[in-house]
Amino acid sequence: MIEFLHLIFNGANAIPTGLLLFIVLYWIIVIMGFLGTDFLDIDIDVEADLDADAEVEGSTSSSGDVSFLNNVLLFFNLGRMPLMIWLSFLVIPLWFINVNVTGFLGIENFFLGLLIFFPTLIACLFIAKFLTWPFMKFFQRIDKEGKKKEIIGKVGVVMLSADH
């Protein structure tokens, strides 16, 4: 067990382990939010008064074209499903592959770990695309149902009574 902890927290696996801990912490918070805090019996009273004024100045011109980046993100199903679900499907294989490769090769150095991390990240982008494909169809169906429907110029039936 000590060897495993040393392996996952050494310099070569610091980034994937940090990402995995972030994902696990996020899902724990989501589950706690779903269950509610009533079962913990915690009573916290916090009051805050905050007044803020801000002005934002900037140009509305688009100096850089981001359509290429948008197309890349859509290719990997990122714009079609929630970010944290997609990130979960990216980080879990990334951590598993990176820990196994660095453990097999005996790499403990952070910079040598980066040489393993970046190709693994690119490979895991394609793995995440494959793993999120069924969920993408589900979220697209939800998105179609949630969009506002154009009713101007359409014929409809009034379901309410027309009393004075």
Side-chain angles (χ1 to χ4, degrees):
M1 184 68 170
I2 297 296
E3 293 86 13
F4 177 71
L5 290 175
H6 179 70
L7 175 67
I8 64 173
F9 288 110
N10 68 15
N13 296 319
I15 295 173
T17 301
L19 289 171
L20 183 70
L21 290 175
F22 172 72
I23 293 296
V24 168
L25 181 65
Y26 171 79
W27 286 113
I28 288 172
I29 291 171
V30 167
I31 292 169
M32 294 290 287
F34 178 73
L35 293 176
T37 57
D38 294 339
F39 73 96
L40 293 177
D41 245 359
I42 297 174
D43 186 24
I44 299 174
D45 294 328
V46 177
E47 291 185 27
D49 292 330
L50 178 66
D51 293 328
D53 293 326
E55 292 183 26
V56 177
E57 294 181 19
S59 66
T60 59
S61 67
S62 174
S63 61
D65 189 20
V66 295
S67 64
F68 173 73
L69 181 61
N70 288 338
N71 290 335
V72 169
L73 294 177
L74 284 175
F75 174 76
F76 290 116
N77 300 333
L78 187 54
R80 299 180 181 131
M81 63 185 321
L83 173 69
M84 293 307 290
I85 294 174
W86 181 85
L87 197 60
S88 298
F89 282 106
L90 174 72
V91 167
I92 292 171
L94 175 71
W95 179 82
F96 183 76
I97 293 170
N98 203 33
V99 166
N100 283 316
V101 169
T102 57
F104 180 72
L105 296 176
I107 297 173
E108 293 186 6
N109 188 351
F110 177 76
F111 296 110
L112 290 176
L114 286 178
L115 293 176
I116 302 295
F117 175 74
F118 288 117
T120 306
L121 178 64
I122 292 169
C124 286
L125 284 171
F126 290 100
I127 293 171
K129 178 182 174 51
F130 175 73
L131 292 175
T132 58
W133 182 68
F135 295 99
M136 177 196 64
K137 295 196 179 283
F138 172 72
F139 285 111
Q140 281 180 339
R141 190 174 324 127
I142 288 175
D143 194 34
K144 280 183 188 175
E145 293 172 0
K147 287 188 178 178
K148 293 182 180 178
K149 295 180 175 105
E150 187 65 35
I151 59 172
I152 297 175
K154 305 248 174 146
V155 177
V157 177
V158 177
M159 301 297 286
L160 297 173
S161 61
D163 292 339
H164 292 284

